[in-house]
Amino acid sequence: MLRLFSLYLCILLTLLPFSTLAQSLNDEQIKKIGPAIWQQVNIKSPVSGEQIISAYQNKQSPLVSLSEMRGPAVAKIPVSTLNEERWFVLPQANYLDGGFAYWQDTQGIRLIADFSQGNLSQSAIIMHGQAFQLNLETNSQGVLWLYLNARHYAKPVSVTFLDEPTFIYQQFFINSLSIMSITIMLTLACMAFILYLKTGQNVALYCAGYIGLHGIGWAFAAGVFGVFYSFKSINSHYFGMYIFSFAISSASAFAYYLFNFHTVEKTRISQFLKYFSYVAFISGFINLVLPFHWVFYLAHTLAAIWVVLTLVLGFKC
């Protein structure tokens, strides 16, 4: 009975007037959809496209942008094109435990991409984001169904369609810039640590921790480690947020020793730096038992405090 119902849904949706509802990709390089296109559902791990359609159709709540939300969600995007082209689809989500794309046309519905962050065989790699290929034939009309699942959506999740040349340029720019930045940070951290081994100066040690932990955290968030190894039950992209508290702790300690606050009379700013470093360090361990969305908020709160603190240090020291 369930199979018949699913088949009926597929047939009904394929008869929709795509020409009036579809997002046309003709003569465009970039097409952005959303962000209020998502329906939150209760599917933890989809097993078929019919299950995705059924969950979407059975929900009567308004569509949302997913900003500051969490959990599984589904989007329905009708698409049409006159030309045979290869497109790349980018769901704009920082963290993604599960990501699946289904294509539905007159031939039925089928899985075309698994762009989950734990999947090592993704068809397109772009750091700090996700992407997959969508190959369209001449006069293609159909529905692109997207399923996402994450512990936290930090911002509205829109969907961008890029033609192949535009995507290759953007992929090269983002990936190259990320890799260069991470490499520079880790190189500087190694230099600072070698200097600490030679001199024994705490300022060099905390400088290494400050820059090195930022570099490692950025590498996790960008997905550099995920490209080579996937933890079966853990999404390594989240590690950047967990490391961040320790990086801020090292940064505060670095500033404390850089301005020689440990050798001069105590001041309010020196005491604040000292205890802020302790608080950030302890927060790193507290994060291990907190839900990820609280880890995200706490990390950004520490970052905001650190930005203000650096400005104060710049003017007063």
Side-chain angles (χ1 to χ4, degrees):
M1 189 67 183
L2 181 59
R3 289 183 178 180
L4 290 175
F5 177 71
S6 300
L7 180 61
Y8 170 75
L9 282 175
C10 288
I11 294 174
L12 180 62
L13 289 169
T14 54
L15 294 176
L16 287 174
F18 289 118
S19 59
T20 58
L21 298 177
Q23 300 289 338
S24 176
L25 301 180
N26 301 318
D27 301 322
E28 297 212 34
Q29 293 179 312
I30 302 175
K31 185 82 170 184
K32 189 171 183 179
I33 313 297
I37 57 175
W38 301 96
Q39 186 73 262
Q40 289 201 287
V41 297
N42 296 319
I43 305 174
K44 295 300 181 183
S45 182
V47 295
S48 67
E50 289 81 5
Q51 185 184 18
I52 294 292
I53 295 174
S54 177
Y56 184 91
Q57 296 292 335
N58 289 336
K59 296 287 288 188
Q60 301 300 321
S61 55
L63 299 179
V64 296
S65 67
L66 294 182
S67 178
E68 303 303 324
M69 296 182 177
R70 62 195 68 90
V74 175
K76 172 189 175 184
I77 307 175
V79 175
S80 69
T81 183
L82 298 177
N83 306 315
E84 181 179 354
E85 293 179 298
R86 174 183 294 176
W87 289 84
F88 288 85
V89 185
L90 285 68
Q92 305 293 321
N94 295 86
Y95 307 103
L96 213 54
D97 294 324
F100 300 94
Y102 293 85
W103 178 253
Q104 181 190 16
D105 55 17
T106 54
Q107 300 177 5
I109 184 169
R110 57 194 178 276
L111 178 67
I112 60 171
D114 176 358
F115 55 95
S116 309
Q117 288 180 329
N119 180 19
L120 298 181
S121 59
Q122 296 184 36
S123 59
I125 301 296
I126 185 165
M127 294 184 179
H128 297 286
Q130 299 301 302
F132 64 90
Q133 293 182 21
L134 176 62
N135 298 317
L136 298 177
E137 299 178 354
T138 305
N139 295 321
S140 292
Q141 292 183 346
V143 176
L144 179 65
W145 293 91
L146 297 180
Y147 170 89
L148 306 182
N149 190 9
R151 298 186 208 173
H152 183 67
Y153 301 103
K155 60 183 181 179
V157 182
S158 58
V159 178
T160 303
F161 292 78
L162 300 179
D163 67 357
E164 189 170 16
T166 305
F167 173 77
I168 291 175
Y169 171 80
Q170 183 168 319
Q171 181 189 43
F172 176 78
F173 178 79
I174 293 175
N175 290 358
S176 299
L177 184 62
S178 296
I179 292 174
M180 285 190 295
S181 301
I182 293 167
T183 301
I184 291 171
M185 284 190 285
L186 294 181
T187 301
L188 291 175
C190 289
M191 293 172 62
F193 185 68
I194 293 172
L195 183 62
Y196 167 73
L197 294 178
K198 289 184 176 181
T199 64
Q201 295 292 325
N202 287 334
V203 65
L205 176 64
Y206 289 117
C207 179
Y210 175 26
I211 303 175
L213 290 175
H214 268 90
I216 294 172
W218 197 350
F220 275 118
V224 174
F225 292 104
V227 171
F228 302 102
Y229 183 79
S230 175
F231 299 92
K232 292 184 179 180
S233 58
I234 302 175
N235 186 349
S236 61
H237 287 68
Y238 292 109
F239 289 173
M241 284 293 100
Y242 289 94
I243 292 173
F244 193 75
S245 295
F246 298 107
I248 291 295
S249 176
S250 297
S252 186
F254 167 65
Y256 182 81
Y257 283 97
L258 179 65
F259 293 102
N260 293 317
F261 286 132
H262 61 293
T263 61
V264 298
E265 185 179 352
K266 294 179 180 179
T267 62
R268 284 187 297 178
I269 192 169
S270 68
Q271 290 296 92
F272 188 86
L273 277 172
K274 180 179 180 180
Y275 290 110
F276 181 59
S277 178
Y278 293 154
V279 169
F281 185 78
I282 294 171
S283 297
F285 292 99
I286 295 175
N287 285 340
L288 299 177
V289 297
L290 293 177
F292 177 74
H293 61 280
W294 286 115
V295 175
F296 181 87
Y297 294 138
L298 181 58
H300 284 77
T301 299
L302 292 174
I305 295 173
W306 174 244
V307 169
V308 175
L309 189 55
T310 54
L311 292 175
V312 173
L313 286 169
F315 283 109
K316 290 193 174 183
C317 299

